Amino acid sequence: MTKTYGFPVEAAAKGQPAPVAAAADKGWRDIVRLTLLMGITFASVYYAPISANRLVFLAFLLLAYRSKDDYLWLAWFFIINDAPGRLFSAEGLLDHRIPLYPLAAGASIEFQELFVFMYIAKAFFGGQRLEYIFKRAFTVFFIILGIFLLYSVLLGLSMKNGIQAFKYLIPWAWIFIIPYYLRSPEQIEKASRLLFPFVFLALALQIHTFVTGKYLDHILRGEKFIFNLAVDESSEVSRVWASVFILLYCSAQALFYMAAREKIFRYNYLAAIVFCSVASIFLSATRGWMLGIGFLAAASVFQMSKSGKIHRMINLALASVAVVFILQWSFPLVRHQFDAALERFSTLKLLASGDITAGGTLKRIDVRGKRVLQAFNENPVFGWGVSDTYFEYADGHVGPQNILLNVGVAGFVYLNLLYVFLCLKVWAFSQEKKVRAKWGGALIIYVLALVTIFIIHGSSTQFWGYVMQFEQTEKIITFSFLFASVNALVASVYRGEGETGRVGEGETR
């Protein structure tokens, strides 16, 4: 009996593959539309009065609600939350920022929260069934979350921390919303096409910060940044990073398209995206991210070499070495930052040898982790939930320890088993004959991306769990795009959507 995994086979009749030329033309039109949208966003945030800025973003809500091109709005939302040059990242009430909307004295709601509420309503009234291979797993995830919320109230949860917990948890709605709207390979392709150029912009603005010593956002707002981030021969390593979540997702997508049987993007273009993503993260000198992205690139190259693409891998490696050599020879500041980042990365050898401070450069284990575990030891079985005690001791720099503080040993075991289950589920689909017949072994790239995230989670910043402390929205959106991509690619096989895996526009709405 043919497996369909809940995807209706009759969906194949709803649309026909679009001609390649028409798809390419639509791709350019989408890029123009996103550029215009980003231009309006930029002008509204940095140059419009606060009242006008709020009106512009309310108009965005209405336009997104009425739009059938949700891939455009979801890509835009990803970008504005993880923008190159740390654009739109200000948080102060009177800063040039993505707007806040006052509700009452001392209370306000962020545009990001309005956006997710709008999409919840849009999906509710959309009339389509959610076809999602991870639906059951994340339904249980939310049920257990509800239990921990009730438990937190019993432990003691103030109004202030209750509101903060709500703000942390509401972005988890994206784990269902994004797969609801990005449900076909064509829509994933369109979203990827819009996100890819921001990899190059992220690297360019990173180098701009090395030169000027400030992020572009701080220059536009006239803010005096506490650190001088400029790179020169006398400076230590500069810790400049932005758009790392876009870089991570785009590198995974580029590697998938490189490994896939169907040629959708030019191979050299995809290779450039991977190279720039790896280069940007490496130049950030953030060791956990360097380790993670290095694993993703190396493991993907190894995987693709087994599929008969070894000559392409050799060409990519040689081209990367050549570009690195040219950059170091042409730009002394890049050479200095590269050498300093490499030296910082090499301190991991000290950690491996037993020095938990990595030569005095690491406080996660002996300072941050120790403080979190002291609070965890007072309530080890179920942790402190999102109670007041949790917020007093929480630290998103130490992912595993913070999960223990949050949900205790019981929740820690559950969340880690869930993560392993998700990885194994993606791997199992990648081994299905029908999936391999269409996509080859390319879906394994997503397993490697999930392992990469877990490496980062264990070494740099909490990247899994109910509350991740900082960059919660960006991390959840990254997961949501990854799982939506897997879901759409698998759906295209079990719906029987034709040889190209594309569906007509008629199925989108």
Side-chain angles (χ1 to χ4, degrees):
M1 185 175 180
T2 302
K3 298 178 182 179
T4 63
Y5 295 96
F7 299 114
V9 294
E10 66 271 19
K14 291 187 177 181
Q16 298 296 326
V20 175
D25 178 64
K26 182 68 181 295
W28 280 110
R29 287 192 285 120
D30 284 341
I31 290 174
V32 171
R33 292 163 66 200
L34 178 63
T35 302
L36 179 62
L37 186 57
M38 291 302 302
I40 296 172
T41 304
F42 182 87
S44 176
V45 168
Y46 289 104
Y47 297 106
I50 292 177
S51 57
N53 183 33
R54 289 172 178 166
L55 289 174
V56 168
F57 276 79
L58 286 177
F60 287 159
L61 282 177
L62 178 61
L63 291 171
Y65 185 85
R66 295 173 59 87
S67 176
K68 295 182 179 181
D69 296 328
D70 295 289
Y71 61 87
L72 171 67
W73 288 99
L74 294 173
W76 169 78
F77 189 70
F78 196 174
I79 293 164
I80 66 170
N81 280 282
D82 192 34
R86 293 201 180 180
L87 295 172
F88 320 126
S89 62
E91 297 181 349
L93 180 62
L94 300 179
D95 285 337
H96 297 283
R97 56 163 295 161
I98 297 173
L100 284 169
Y101 295 89
L103 298 177
S108 60
I109 188 169
E110 298 179 6
F111 170 79
Q112 287 91 334
E113 293 158 357
L114 290 177
F115 199 76
V116 71
F117 292 147
M118 180 274 293
Y119 258 103
I120 290 172
K122 185 175 181 177
F124 182 79
F125 293 109
Q128 291 191 41
R129 199 181 101 201
L130 175 62
E131 299 160 2
Y132 191 24
I133 58 178
F134 306 105
K135 182 178 180 179
R136 184 175 300 175
F138 281 111
T139 299
V140 175
F141 177 85
F142 278 99
I143 291 172
I144 293 178
L145 170 60
I147 294 172
F148 269 100
L149 286 175
L150 294 174
Y151 171 68
S152 302
V153 174
L154 296 176
L155 291 176
L157 180 61
S158 66
M159 178 66 72
K160 177 183 177 181
N161 286 332
I163 293 173
Q164 187 65 31
F166 175 78
K167 289 179 176 291
Y168 276 129
L169 296 173
I170 193 61
W172 274 113
W174 291 116
I175 208 73
F176 283 115
I177 294 170
I178 290 177
Y180 182 88
Y181 285 101
L182 302 184
R183 58 175 61 211
S184 72
E186 183 187 32
Q187 291 162 338
I188 296 296
E189 174 194 332
K190 288 177 178 180
S192 300
R193 192 182 301 275
L194 294 174
L195 291 170
F196 282 165
F198 286 87
V199 169
F200 306 110
L201 183 59
L203 180 58
L205 290 183
Q206 184 180 28
I207 295 174
H208 171 268
T209 304
F210 289 151
V211 175
T212 63
K214 292 184 178 181
Y215 290 105
L216 180 58
D217 173 75
H218 297 130
I219 293 174
L220 292 169
R221 291 192 288 114
E223 179 179 323
K224 292 184 178 180
F225 194 54
I226 188 171
F227 300 111
N228 180 8
L229 299 171
V231 174
D232 57 53
E233 295 295 334
S234 61
S235 67
E236 296 181 355
V237 65
S238 179
R239 304 295 306 282
V240 176
W241 60 280
S243 297
V244 288
F245 302 101
I246 289 176
L247 295 175
L248 177 58
Y249 175 71
C250 286
S251 58
Q253 281 302 101
L255 287 164
F256 167 79
Y257 287 122
M258 291 171 72
R261 289 182 174 178
E262 182 183 358
K263 184 178 179 180
I264 298 175
F265 296 91
R266 291 184 181 274
Y267 190 87
N268 290 340
Y269 179 57
L270 297 173
I273 290 167
V274 175
F275 174 81
C276 289
S277 298
V278 174
S280 180
I281 289 175
F282 189 86
L283 290 173
S284 74
T286 305
R287 287 168 293 195
W289 281 86
M290 295 164 71
L291 190 64
I293 199 70
F295 166 81
L296 177 61
S300 299
V301 168
F302 176 75
Q303 174 63 30
M304 282 185 273
S305 68
K306 296 193 300 181
S307 62
K309 298 183 179 182
I310 186 64
H311 63 286
R312 288 187 172 185
M313 298 300 100
I314 294 174
N315 291 338
L316 173 60
L318 292 175
S320 299
V321 171
V323 171
V324 169
F325 178 79
I326 292 170
L327 287 173
Q328 291 199 67
W329 182 76
S330 303
F331 303 99
L333 67 86
V334 173
R335 180 175 65 249
H336 178 76
Q337 178 67 10
F338 181 89
D339 293 340
L342 187 61
E343 181 179 353
R344 179 175 170 81
F345 184 73
S346 67
T347 59
L348 291 178
K349 291 188 293 185
L350 298 174
L351 182 63
S353 66
D355 180 1
I356 62 173
T357 70
T361 65
L362 187 66
K363 295 183 179 180
R364 280 185 169 83
I365 299 176
D366 64 327
V367 178
R368 292 181 178 274
K370 185 178 180 180
R371 180 177 181 273
V372 172
L373 288 178
Q374 284 176 343
F376 154 74
N377 288 331
E378 296 176 9
N379 198 9
V381 179
F382 296 110
W384 291 99
V386 288
S387 65
D388 295 340
T389 302
Y390 168 77
F391 280 105
E392 181 180 353
Y393 291 95
D395 190 338
H397 290 92
V398 283
Q401 296 93 323
N402 209 51
I403 289 181
L404 285 169
L405 177 70
N406 184 204
V407 292
V409 173
F412 182 87
V413 171
Y414 162 70
L415 287 172
N416 282 283
L417 287 177
L418 173 60
Y419 202 89
V420 172
F421 169 79
L422 294 170
C423 291
L424 291 176
K425 193 174 182 71
V426 178
W427 181 84
F429 275 114
S430 75
Q431 303 304 305
E432 287 279 350
K433 289 184 178 179
K434 290 183 69 174
V435 174
R436 293 186 71 86
K438 182 171 184 177
W439 301 111
L443 259 74
I444 293 178
I445 299 298
Y446 294 109
V447 180
L448 301 178
L450 290 173
V451 174
T452 295
I453 288 174
F454 210 76
I455 291 172
I456 295 168
H457 166 74
S459 60
S460 187
T461 177
Q462 185 177 353
F463 209 148
W464 179 238
Y466 288 115
V467 178
M468 294 175 276
Q469 286 300 300
F470 44 82
E471 295 163 331
Q472 177 99 347
T473 296
E474 296 93 311
K475 292 169 183 174
I476 294 171
I477 291 176
T478 304
F479 276 123
S480 301
F481 267 85
L482 286 171
F483 288 128
S485 299
V486 175
N487 187 67
L489 296 167
V490 172
S492 70
V493 173
Y494 292 101
R495 284 175 182 151
E497 291 175 348
E499 293 181 0
T500 63
R502 298 181 179 181
V503 295
E505 293 296 319
E507 187 174 341
T508 305
R509 301 299 301 158

